Amino acid sequence: MRRLLIANRGEIAARIARTARGLGIETVAVCSDADAGAVHVRACDQAVRIGPAPVSESYLRADALLEAARTTGADAIHPGYGFLSENPDFAEAVADAGLAWVGPPAAAIRAMGLKDEAKRRMEAAGVPVTPGYHGDTQDPAFLAERAAEIGYPVLIKASAGGGGKGMRLVETPDAFAEALARAQSEAASAFGNDRVLIEKFIQNPRHIEVQVFADSHGSTVHLFERDCSAQRRHQKVIEEAPAPGMTEALRAAMTGAAVRAAEAVGYVGAGTVEFIVDGSRMTPDAFYFMEMNTRLQVEHPVTEAVTGTDLVAWQLAVASGAPLPLRQDQIRLSGHAVEARLYAEDPAHDFRPQTGRLTALRLSEAVRVDTGVTEGDTVTPHYDPMIAKLIAHGPDREAAFARLGAALAESQLAGLTSNLGFLARLVADAEMRAGRLDTGLIARQGDSLLADPEPDATDLALAAAALAGLLETPPETHWRPWGAGRSHVTLAGGETVALSVQPAAAGLAITAETPAGPTTLTLQHTGASRWQVASGAASETVHLHTDPDGVSLTRGTTRHRITLADPLARGTEDGPGGDAVLAPLPGLVKSVAISAGDAVTRGATLAILEAMKMEHALTAPRDGVVAEVFAAPGDQVDDGSLLIRLEPEA
């Protein structure tokens, strides 16, 4: 292998390039117009533009990728994860072009690509599978009958994909029809296939997966397990290895089943066999096959950390025809590793994806960081909103979590809303630290994890001072012979903060009247965005990042994004009692369920917006009658666009 084309983007493309370069392999990046200056492009030796920003016109174009390989003289293609990584037709096309495919054979991808067919094959191989319906019939009434036979709650899952897309948990029969329609629509959009299967939802479910690897010489090994139970919207947030509470008997049963699963389909390369485990038992008869991901996983770094391996190097070696670097008895577990996925999203609002410019991005250097963006980059609506992965390794689970918690607290991100504060609280959560986790942990903990507390007087005073520009000048400029200068700052939401600022021995003294009460603070600038803030005898480190749109403030695990009031803005219209439904982020209108004149009730689904690879239901803000509909299926809308207006209340 001399020159490798990486048919992907973001952090995984940069990560593959790093290993390839270390092995002396030249790398070729591909990029859409939106990614022309991206991190993964700069990480490679050369780059080829393959189309406009939409993935259907760039990263999903097999013809453009193959042409890029041809024109650059690449002799191999690594698909990363997502996009075309599990597309058997693309794998075949790469082989037909005389290129090495860094992945499993097309036949293995095809065998595991449809969940229903995969489960039939796993049953034949003696791998336990979850009770459910995996057949071809897709009639809604028929599927509803099968769900009733299986027994609620059930999971509807896309047959052709993963990552939580096309997946819905249904707890009652009357919710089945709408959940099915949404799952099929999302599956069709994400994978080009709207077929679904139905499975029994396991109570107290743990999501535990096994990393497997096979070569073309008949050897298949496992590299132990990962626990990915901490999830939101059926997508992973925290992953760790090994799984907490794992017994040797259960590990032997699961890893043995995973190896049999790979061997049953003639697997070659890196793959992950995912199991659902009854967390209340953790016994050798308490796990069931869910699916096999025929690619490298997002969470592969935790396996690398605890086994001392480089899985991308293994992939490149196996794709070149070499045998596996280690035998099963040579693979050892060492310590514990945990990974957190940092996303541009709003946990307090159902993890809604966010877009915008990263005015500050300073991630801890004390842990491994895999990222595809850097400070100054823009998170766009075209791609998954993951910013980075932070991976900590320690001698045991407590040490690994402590290191990750410290790294999250040290990291700074500004310019848009992210899940950084949520991750810090999750890593510190007592249930998580004790290993008492299942896929419902985040939902159970609710607001204690999801929402930052309301800004207190200190938060409001610091934000107002930063937004007024009072922290950007030397302390002596605030001296007045007639007493402290006063400022009034109106924040978004109409809250007004009255400030007086004057020099103090350590820097600045601020006295403020805020909606949360009065406060007196002394501030000392200690470098970059960092301030030491004292209130009475208490002192703490606070980070303040100011940009043209607002200020991002960090105090421990609490993070706030606070902006100035817009004097030209209308009153809020999309909250309870409002008249309007606005687009919460840029996206594509998939469907509109109402027309002008229809009566609606608060919370009813009015339209579906597709953005950043997920579907978002837009609901009625109150009971009322639809006055006007401004959007139609197929419309591309901007953040804040008026989509539907209700008639004014009498």
Side-chain angles (χ1 to χ4, degrees):
M1 193 176 295
R2 182 177 54 85
R3 184 172 297 146
L4 175 70
L5 184 135
I6 304 170
N8 215 295
R9 64 176 301 280
E11 64 87 13
I12 187 58
R15 183 265 174 276
I16 293 166
R18 185 168 62 246
T19 286
R21 176 170 292 179
L23 295 172
I25 300 171
E26 295 179 20
T27 53
V28 180
V30 294
C31 63
S32 69
D33 292 343
D35 279 342
V39 166
H40 77 276
V41 172
R42 301 196 300 272
C44 292
D45 297 299
Q46 55 182 307
V48 178
R49 176 195 169 276
I50 52 172
V55 295
S56 61
E57 301 176 48
S58 52
Y59 297 104
L60 290 179
R61 282 190 55 196
D63 60 333
L65 296 168
L66 291 169
E67 177 62 16
R70 186 190 67 79
T71 58
T72 59
D75 51 13
I77 291 181
H78 194 310
Y81 59 71
F83 296 139
L84 295 175
S85 63
E86 295 181 281
N87 185 307
D89 295 334
F90 183 54
E92 285 179 339
V94 170
D96 290 345
L99 306 174
W101 167 251
V102 186
I109 299 175
R110 198 167 275 119
M112 288 298 196
L114 292 175
K115 293 185 180 69
D116 44 7
E117 175 60 24
K119 297 205 174 196
R120 285 192 284 267
R121 297 187 71 146
M122 292 303 97
E123 285 180 306
V127 178
V129 302
T130 312
Y133 174 73
H134 313 127
D136 296 329
T137 302
Q138 297 290 294
D139 175 69
F142 177 84
L143 293 176
E145 291 176 0
R146 300 291 78 73
E149 291 174 358
I150 295 166
Y152 287 91
V154 299
L155 274 178
I156 302 173
K157 299 171 68 174
S159 291
K165 299 169 185 65
M167 182 184 293
R168 293 291 184 277
L169 171 62
V170 189
E171 301 191 64
T172 59
D174 58 356
F176 184 84
E178 181 178 354
L180 175 64
R182 293 277 303 280
Q184 290 176 324
S185 173
E186 198 168 88
S189 176
F191 314 116
N193 185 334
D194 67 356
R195 285 184 58 191
V196 299
L197 56 85
I198 302 171
E199 290 180 347
K200 177 67 178 174
F201 181 72
I202 305 299
Q203 303 295 329
N204 302 312
R206 294 270 299 273
H207 182 141
I208 301 178
E209 59 191 29
V210 176
Q211 176 73 59
V212 294
F213 230 107
D215 61 24
S216 56
H217 303 277
S219 295
T220 303
V221 300
H222 69 80
L223 290 93
F224 302 100
E225 80 281 351
R226 300 183 287 256
D227 193 304
C228 307
S229 300
Q231 302 180 6
R232 90 286 189 265
R233 297 180 63 161
H234 303 295
Q235 291 186 305
K236 302 164 187 174
V237 178
I238 299 286
E239 301 102 346
E240 57 182 304
M246 178 60 70
T247 65
E248 287 304 321
L250 178 55
R251 175 176 288 143
M254 289 184 68
T255 55
V259 168
R260 291 198 304 276
E263 292 174 339
V265 295
Y267 204 80
V268 174
T272 299
V273 183
E274 300 195 345
F275 297 100
I276 196 78
V277 180
D278 184 342
S280 66
R281 293 192 289 149
M282 294 293 284
T283 55
D285 62 345
F287 71 95
Y288 307 95
F289 172 86
M290 288 199 302
E291 61 184 328
M292 183 175 188
N293 293 126
T294 53
R295 53 171 169 78
L296 201 64
Q297 292 279 87
V298 177
E299 59 272 21
H300 75 275
V302 295
T303 294
E304 293 181 324
V306 296
T307 59
T309 57
D310 183 330
L311 296 186
V312 172
W314 280 38
Q315 285 186 299
L316 298 175
V318 167
S320 299
L324 290 174
L326 297 174
R327 301 187 310 271
Q328 186 68 70
D329 60 2
Q330 296 174 311
I331 303 171
R332 297 279 190 271
L333 272 175
S334 175
H336 199 95
V338 57
E339 171 182 293
R341 301 190 189 190
L342 177 59
Y343 279 93
E345 64 184 13
D346 185 356
H349 293 88
D350 198 26
F351 297 93
R352 181 184 297 165
Q354 303 291 295
T355 60
R357 184 170 175 268
L358 290 161
T359 57
L361 182 63
R362 299 162 194 172
L363 303 178
S364 173
E365 297 181 356
V367 297
R368 171 177 169 177
V369 174
D370 286 7
T371 183
V373 295
T374 190
E375 188 169 292
D377 285 353
T378 297
V379 178
T380 74
H382 302 296
Y383 312 115
D384 186 274
M386 188 166 71
I387 294 169
K389 304 181 307 196
L390 285 77
I391 306 100
H393 183 223
D396 53 39
R397 189 171 187 268
E398 182 57 34
F401 269 77
R403 288 178 182 175
L404 180 58
L408 292 169
E410 179 185 346
S411 297
Q412 298 297 311
L413 185 155
L416 48 74
T417 301
S418 79
N419 69 340
L420 189 51
F422 160 76
L423 290 174
R425 291 188 292 275
L426 178 58
V427 167
D429 178 76
E431 294 294 297
M432 171 63 81
R433 292 296 275 264
R436 293 190 293 267
L437 66 157
D438 58 48
T439 58
L441 172 68
I442 292 173
R444 282 198 308 276
Q445 302 298 76
D447 290 343
S448 66
L449 293 178
L450 301 184
D452 283 296
E454 288 297 313
D456 64 14
T458 296
D459 298 321
L460 295 174
L462 291 172
L467 290 168
L470 301 178
L471 305 183
E472 299 175 0
T473 55
E476 58 269 19
T477 63
H478 296 283
W479 183 83
R480 303 288 186 274
W482 54 85
R486 293 188 65 80
S487 301
H488 288 78
V489 180
T490 303
L491 305 176
E495 300 171 321
T496 297
V497 177
L499 298 166
S500 65
V501 182
Q502 55 188 336
L508 287 176
I510 294 179
T511 301
E513 293 290 337
T514 81
T519 187
T520 299
L521 308 169
T522 58
L523 283 70
Q524 182 179 13
H525 191 214
T526 55
S529 64
R530 190 171 62 250
W531 294 79
Q532 197 65 27
V533 179
S535 177
S539 178
E540 61 182 321
T541 298
V542 177
H543 288 268
L544 293 165
H545 297 275
T546 306
D547 58 72
D549 298 320
V551 61
S552 297
L553 180 150
T554 302
R555 293 172 64 196
T557 61
T558 301
R559 296 165 190 266
H560 295 294
R561 176 79 178 155
I562 299 175
T563 59
L564 288 168
D566 181 354
L568 301 179
R570 298 172 296 173
T572 181
E573 295 182 294
D574 59 344
D579 292 339
V581 176
L582 310 179
L585 66 167
L588 177 73
V589 178
K590 290 297 299 293
S591 64
V592 178
I594 43 79
S595 301
D598 288 352
V600 297
T601 58
R602 180 179 174 184
T605 298
L606 306 183
I608 302 295
L609 182 72
E610 183 186 80
M612 301 176 97
K613 302 169 67 176
M614 297 293 285
E615 289 192 355
H616 307 268
L618 307 182
T619 60
R622 61 172 174 82
D623 295 350
V625 176
V626 176
E628 296 177 277
V629 179
F630 299 95
D635 288 352
Q636 190 74 39
V637 297
D638 294 326
D639 182 10
S641 296
L642 177 61
L643 306 182
I644 299 162
R645 186 185 293 280
L646 304 184
E647 290 182 355
E649 291 186 289

